[in-house]
Amino acid sequence: MPADPPEAQFDRDAQHIGQRIREVREHKNLTQEKVFLAVPMNRAHYQDIEAGRANPTLRTLSHIAHVLGVPLADLVR
């Protein structure tokens, strides 16, 4: 069975990271608004990250992790 193309793996990774961000945010009882304003970034881009539709930079993920109060590694496991 052939391996998935890199784009398919990237899409799964983006969805997983977005899901982890949402799980941590909800666990900490934070709203999307509180997070995207603290990062800072615009609402639509943040929502796209949580939905796995965006390709955030490492810097952006680091800022989000900081706002959520978790190590960056917690968002990408």
Side-chain angles (χ1 to χ4, degrees):
M1 185 171 186
D4 287 340
E7 298 82 22
Q9 182 62 49
F10 175 80
D11 290 343
R12 282 193 299 278
D13 290 345
Q15 289 173 351
H16 175 75
I17 291 168
Q19 180 180 356
R20 284 292 301 142
I21 290 170
R22 182 177 181 177
E23 288 170 358
V24 171
R25 177 182 59 76
E26 289 177 345
H27 178 75
K28 295 187 175 262
N29 296 314
L30 296 171
T31 64
Q32 285 185 340
E33 183 174 27
K34 187 159 194 122
V35 176
F36 73 74
L37 288 175
V39 168
M41 66 188 329
N42 79 37
R43 176 188 312 261
H45 186 56
Y46 181 80
Q47 290 171 333
D48 284 345
I49 291 170
E50 276 199 7
R53 294 185 302 260
N55 178 16
T57 65
L58 185 56
R59 181 177 301 237
T60 296
L61 288 175
S62 180
H63 284 289
I64 291 170
H66 178 77
V67 170
L68 295 175
V70 298
L72 176 59
D74 284 3
L75 301 182
V76 297
R77 341 183 158 174

